Amino acid sequence: QSRDALEPHLPSLLPTLFRYTFDPNPRVANAMRQLWAALVPDPKPALTKHLQPVLEHLCASLGDRLWRGRESACLALAELLPGRTLAELSPTLARLLTALLRVLDDVKETVRKAAEPAWRAVSSACVRLSDGGRASASDAEAVLEIALPILLDGVLLPSEEVRAVCTKQLLKLVQGSGKHVGPHTPRLVPFLIESLSSNESSALTYMQQHAPGLGVSAGTFEAARVAAARASPAHAALEQCLAIMDDAQVGATVPRLSEILVRGTGLPARCGAARVVLQLARDRQSALTPHAGKLLSVATRAILEERSAAARRAYASAAAQLARLAKPEPLGDLLRSLTQRYVLTAVTTNEQEERLTLASLVRELGRGAPDAMGGLRADWLPLAFIGRHEPRWEAERQEAGKQHEAGALASVWEEAYDEGGGNAGAAASHLQELLALLRTMVDGQSWALRRAAAAALIDLANLSSGALKKRPDAASQFELLAASLRESSRRWDDKEALLPKLNACFPPPPTPHAAPPPTESADM
């Protein structure tokens, strides 16, 4: 009779009573379990019948002022949540996720430990209800619509532990939900790229900074870090997202990709962003073509600002794929700006490295987009022709037995020139562009470029058995360039060695001799 009398009050009594059966105080918990057993002889159907009031009460208790209330609510949720359907959980799922993320960072250790099984229970429910192979499309999309935004916000929270559990749960959802995650890829792809760095062990970063002392080159260590990132779960989830994105989602991702390329934190994230761009340019050409010009400009800027050799290679590969999709106008503008930067680079300790980066980029553009580069030879072939004559660097000159071999910079330009179809006929076709660039280098500040210009001028004059220097539209320009290089006020590397060859190609005008004094007459 007393149970029947209490039946109308169970919706208000049962939630509180159920939570108190998990009270941290053993005496309170035992007393409440006895009362529970007396009032609720069949707990499973009773909890199912009154599930919403119970979940509402436990959600509110997760924010209780008393730690005992928060801890008991966590323990009760770990018992209550397994096996529930989406219809049962959806009204409170968002509040549960948000509240549990808060108690995972609770000030009291016992509350944090009690929150762990509760988080595992709600996480398992989300993964099960969004499973791409078992859950219905409507259920999976509803769960992802609720959970993903909360988890993506959670990775920005200050607590390292909370960020870790959010990242882990996001990876599980992405890997398990299949194609249902598609609408969320514009937010997920940038997150997954950045997680390649955030999930990297700090020990690797420390070892990278001390690589020379460990007997490992910086380049080798960078390559190992990038390889480790590609083997991570985040990279596997990233590949899955790229496979299911549609054209609109690819376009929505481009702005964040551009930001990460230029301002990404960590080597794995920057290389990951470059790889994503490369894959999209290769496999999703129709989706990326409208954005190819902008991304090509961004990738070039990133290459010039990047200090890591591994990242520069990744950017160059991505730029080469983008060049195939870009229109001729922006690609031509890019090549002209690269030439200008190469020639006008300030004479600093970083000059050689920057010029090598620019040369490598032009070479990769030619390899990745030979047709596009073939139509724009006037914008890059003159620089490649002259770059083949770049002198060896000071450090390279000290290498025994290699003094007569081309240096690293000249070798890259030689590859770009040969692979791009450079020959005597191509040089003759672009003779005016070559002579204009030679004039800029001769008048410039770099001694190394003047030396390259002198060697290129000699090479150009000897092409086609010297026919080019005799062309009516070029003969005077050849002579003026040679005269400028001979000037005593112009200094450049190896001038003493090259000047005789220059004079042999372009004989200097005879020096006028003073008239002999008049001889005195014999009559005088």
Side-chain angles (χ1 to χ4, degrees):
Q1 293 179 354
S2 60
R3 187 182 299 121
D4 294 340
L6 286 173
E7 184 68 28
H9 304 285
L10 280 181
S12 58
L13 288 175
L14 193 139
T16 305
L17 187 58
F18 178 68
R19 178 175 62 82
Y20 269 110
T21 60
F22 297 92
D23 194 89
N25 188 322
R27 293 184 179 182
V28 173
N30 289 332
M32 291 302 169
R33 288 193 192 104
Q34 294 176 7
L35 184 57
W36 174 265
L39 292 177
V40 189
D42 197 355
K44 189 172 182 179
L47 284 172
T48 301
K49 180 180 179 181
H50 303 286
L51 183 62
Q52 293 311 313
V54 173
L55 287 174
E56 292 284 350
H57 175 75
L58 294 179
C59 278
S61 298
L62 288 173
D64 199 315
R65 184 176 59 85
L66 300 175
W67 68 268
R68 291 173 55 183
R70 302 193 298 275
E71 184 173 332
S72 60
C74 291
L75 297 172
L77 283 169
E79 179 75 18
L80 183 66
L81 292 177
R84 299 297 175 182
T85 65
L86 178 61
E88 293 174 325
L89 293 180
S90 58
T92 54
L93 182 57
R95 283 181 291 161
L96 278 173
L97 289 168
T98 303
L100 283 172
L101 287 177
R102 188 165 55 247
V103 292
L104 281 169
D105 191 35
D106 199 274
V107 294
K108 188 165 177 60
E109 183 180 4
T110 57
V111 177
R112 295 197 299 271
K113 289 184 177 180
E116 292 174 2
W119 177 259
R120 287 195 296 269
V122 73
S123 298
S124 298
C126 290
V127 172
R128 172 173 52 84
L129 295 172
S130 63
D131 188 285
R134 293 181 295 177
S136 66
S138 58
D139 284 1
E141 291 170 3
V143 171
L144 294 174
E145 190 69 31
I146 294 171
L148 288 180
I150 295 173
L151 294 172
L152 287 169
D153 290 339
V155 298
L156 303 176
L157 294 174
S159 170
E160 183 177 350
E161 291 78 9
V162 172
R163 293 199 302 270
V165 297
C166 287
T167 300
K168 183 178 179 181
Q169 182 62 18
L170 274 168
L171 294 178
K172 286 183 178 180
L173 287 175
V174 172
Q175 292 169 349
S177 57
K179 62 181 181 180
H180 303 307
V181 81
H184 304 277
T185 49
R187 283 195 70 185
L188 281 171
V189 168
F191 160 74
L192 291 170
I193 293 173
E194 291 176 328
S195 71
L196 295 174
S197 286
S198 60
N199 292 338
E200 185 183 35
S201 172
S202 58
L204 289 176
T205 307
Y206 176 83
M207 293 172 68
Q208 170 78 60
Q209 296 171 349
H210 297 80
L214 299 173
V216 181
S217 68
T220 301
F221 209 98
E222 286 177 350
R225 289 175 63 193
V226 173
R230 289 184 183 177
S232 66
H235 191 271
L238 185 59
E239 296 279 350
Q240 179 182 334
C241 287
L242 295 179
I244 62 176
M245 295 174 76
D246 61 27
D247 289 1
Q249 292 157 2
V250 170
T253 310
V254 167
R256 286 288 291 121
L257 274 178
S258 301
E259 291 180 16
I260 298 173
L261 282 173
V262 178
R263 293 188 288 272
T265 302
L267 175 67
R270 297 196 299 276
C271 290
R275 183 172 177 79
V276 167
V277 171
L278 183 149
Q279 288 183 254
L280 292 175
R282 184 184 60 203
D283 303 331
R284 307 294 300 277
Q285 296 183 9
S286 61
L288 208 64
T289 296
H291 313 282
K294 177 183 177 182
L295 281 173
L296 181 58
S297 176
V298 171
T300 303
R301 174 187 167 191
I303 291 172
L304 297 176
E305 295 178 355
E306 179 59 57
R307 292 180 296 176
S308 164
R312 286 199 300 267
R313 287 194 297 270
Y315 289 154
S317 298
Q321 288 293 329
L322 289 168
R324 300 172 60 188
L325 308 180
K327 295 180 179 179
E329 294 79 8
L331 182 56
D333 292 341
L334 171 64
L335 291 170
R336 287 188 288 274
S337 68
L338 292 179
T339 300
Q340 183 179 23
R341 180 156 183 157
Y342 187 92
V343 174
L344 300 180
T345 299
V347 184
T348 65
T349 55
N350 297 324
E351 175 192 11
Q352 296 172 342
E353 189 66 31
E354 180 167 342
R355 286 183 176 157
L356 181 60
T357 299
L358 291 167
S360 300
L361 175 57
V362 173
R363 181 187 62 185
E364 292 303 317
L365 289 173
R367 289 174 175 176
D371 294 339
M373 293 289 283
L376 297 168
R377 280 201 182 99
D379 295 320
W380 65 269
L381 188 134
L383 180 60
F385 181 90
I386 299 171
R388 297 157 59 235
H389 302 281
E390 283 275 13
R392 293 174 65 84
W393 296 339
E394 192 64 35
E396 294 174 326
R397 294 179 182 179
Q398 300 173 4
E399 297 178 6
K402 298 183 179 180
Q403 288 83 356
H404 299 291
E405 297 180 8
L409 182 55
S411 297
V412 173
W413 279 124
E414 187 73 43
E415 292 175 2
Y417 184 77
D418 292 341
E419 294 172 9
N423 51 42
S429 299
H430 302 290
L431 182 58
Q432 290 304 318
E433 291 88 350
L434 264 166
L435 292 173
L437 186 57
L438 285 170
R439 168 53 63 189
T440 303
M441 290 184 175
V442 170
D443 292 340
Q445 299 294 318
S446 173
W447 290 14
L449 282 183
R450 284 183 192 165
R451 189 268 188 200
L457 187 65
I458 295 170
D459 187 11
L460 196 60
N462 291 325
L463 287 179
S464 303
S465 302
L468 293 182
K469 67 178 181 179
K470 299 176 183 178
R471 278 176 37 173
D473 61 336
S476 62
Q477 297 182 63
F478 274 106
E479 294 293 342
L480 287 173
L481 286 168
S484 296
L485 287 167
R486 277 194 294 264
E487 290 179 8
S488 58
S489 60
R490 293 186 188 271
R491 299 181 180 181
W492 38 279
D493 296 340
D494 299 333
K495 184 172 183 178
E496 295 77 7
L498 284 177
L499 201 54
K501 297 180 181 179
L502 186 69
N503 289 334
C505 290
F506 305 98
T511 304
H513 296 287
T519 57
E520 295 184 356
S521 171
D523 294 336
M524 298 176 61

